[in-house]
Amino acid sequence: MPVPDLPVADTSVVGTPVADTSVLDAPDTATAVPHDTPPRPQGTARPARQGLGRRLLADRKARAGLLLLAVFALLGTLAPVLAPGDPSLITDLGATPPSAGHWLGTTAKGQDVLALTLWGTRSSMLVGFTVGIAATLVALLVGLASAYLGKLVDDLLTLVTNVFLLLPGLPLLVILAAFLPPGTTTVVLVLTVTGWAGSARVLRAQATSIRGKDFVAAAVVTGERPLRIMFREILPNMASVVMTTLLGCVIFGIGAQAGLEFLGLGDASVVSWGTNLYWAGNDGALMTGAWWAFVPSGLCIALVAFALALVNYAVDEITNPRLRARRKGKK
């Protein structure tokens, strides 16, 4: 029986060992490609980075958290429309419970609690996200520089990070807020100074593990600049950790601002959830049973933190293979 002649090209498509001979026959330009496109290490976050937004929108927890944050952002933006006028204007109504005229009641000074809560959303969300972005940026710069440059820079930055970690957070917040001029800028500055160290430690550990990968070593050998390697090679593979750090810093910013202002260390003339709690405490709302004066602001802080925690959990679940496997195992 005659055996038909098979073309050599068909065997290379199937993937048999014959394909190795094609490498020997390839032109010299093809052999230079691996130096410019180093092999992508397994377990890096590049696939998650490309589809993180889409996968977040497909996750129920993330959708619920993002929807809740969007509602608060919309209420804060529309506060001048929904509650026009000065929300801190003192009237002779006194402390009245929720009614048709004042849905969330009035404070002991006759101020509408709903207006105070809506206007407070603007300040609290603005400070929280500003602190979160600023603290994450500082932590990211420190972590990347410490992990990539190493040696003396790493020792110096690690020492500074450890000093800020060892300092007691609350007393440092109180001292800085007490001696600096009151205002929103001071609150953002104080919370950023006291809130970056822990995140820097996490980001440094992640950047150090990526620093040892082959594609980073290939970039160093090819003569790429350090800034390009840090921000184009290492940073994209830390997207999930950076986002988790950002969400944690925002939660810290909102909670710490409310705590500072509740202690009277913020600017009492600015309407925020923290100052609402401060004035409710000063007016004796808890002692007189005027729960409507402090519950709305406290509930808003809890809901925003809950929404950020939902998004944070979803990001961790999407980017962590162990959590994904555990989730699939429960289905």
Side-chain angles (χ1 to χ4, degrees), residues 74-85 118-119 122:
L74 186 64
L75 291 177
T77 305
L78 297 179
V81 178
L82 299 175
L118 290 176
W119 281 86
R122 298 164 64 92

Side-chain angles (χ1 to χ4, degrees), residues 34-325:
H35 295 285
D36 295 331
T37 56
R40 195 182 308 288
Q42 296 181 355
T44 58
R46 184 67 63 86
R49 175 173 63 90
Q50 292 175 344
L52 183 59
R54 189 182 306 171
R55 296 165 73 178
L56 270 179
L57 293 178
D59 189 276
R60 288 184 300 174
K61 298 184 185 69
R63 283 203 307 270
L66 292 174
L67 179 62
L68 200 51
L69 290 176
V71 169
F72 275 102
L74 186 64
L75 291 177
T77 305
L78 297 179
V81 178
L82 299 175
D86 185 5
S88 57
L89 182 66
I90 297 175
T91 65
D92 57 355
L93 291 176
T96 59
S99 62
H102 301 278
W103 290 0
L104 295 182
T106 58
T107 66
K109 299 184 179 69
Q111 300 159 324
D112 187 75
V113 175
L114 177 60
L116 290 173
T117 306
L118 290 176
W119 281 86
T121 304
R122 298 164 64 92
S123 174
S124 296
M125 295 281 284
L126 176 64
V127 171
F129 277 90
T130 304
V131 169
I133 294 172
T136 303
L137 185 60
V138 174
L140 186 60
L141 292 176
V142 172
L144 281 176
S146 181
Y148 180 76
L149 299 177
K151 298 180 181 178
L152 182 60
V153 176
D154 185 23
D155 294 339
L156 181 61
L157 292 178
T158 301
L159 176 63
V160 174
T161 304
N162 290 338
V163 168
F164 275 89
L165 284 175
L166 290 175
L167 289 175
L170 183 59
L172 181 61
L173 280 174
V174 171
I175 292 173
L176 291 176
F179 284 95
L180 293 174
T184 303
T185 305
T186 299
V187 173
V188 171
L189 179 64
V190 169
L191 296 182
T192 302
V193 169
T194 56
W196 64 271
S199 303
R201 177 66 69 85
V202 175
L203 294 174
R204 175 189 174 279
Q206 181 71 12
T208 301
S209 66
I210 299 175
R211 173 68 174 84
K213 300 293 184 183
D214 293 339
F215 67 93
V216 176
V220 173
V221 171
T222 55
E224 292 192 14
R225 292 175 296 176
L227 287 178
R228 180 178 175 83
I229 296 175
M230 285 190 284
F231 290 99
R232 295 294 299 274
E233 301 292 342
I234 298 178
L235 180 59
N237 291 287
M238 300 170 57
S240 59
V241 180
V242 172
M243 189 166 181
T244 303
T245 302
L246 172 64
L247 295 174
C249 288
V250 173
I251 295 174
F252 163 76
I254 293 177
Q257 184 214 14
L260 277 180
E261 292 178 340
F262 179 71
L263 294 175
L265 298 172
D267 188 356
S269 63
V270 176
V271 178
S272 69
W273 293 334
T275 54
N276 292 343
L277 295 176
Y278 169 73
W279 288 118
N282 266 14
D283 295 338
L286 187 61
M287 301 295 293
T288 59
W291 55 267
W292 55 87
F294 55 86
V295 166
S297 294
L299 186 61
C300 287
I301 295 173
L303 286 177
V304 170
F306 177 66
L308 291 168
L310 282 178
V311 179
N312 193 4
Y313 184 82
V315 171
D316 197 17
E317 193 176 54
I318 289 172
T319 57
N320 191 331
R322 292 183 179 178
L323 290 180
R324 283 205 307 271

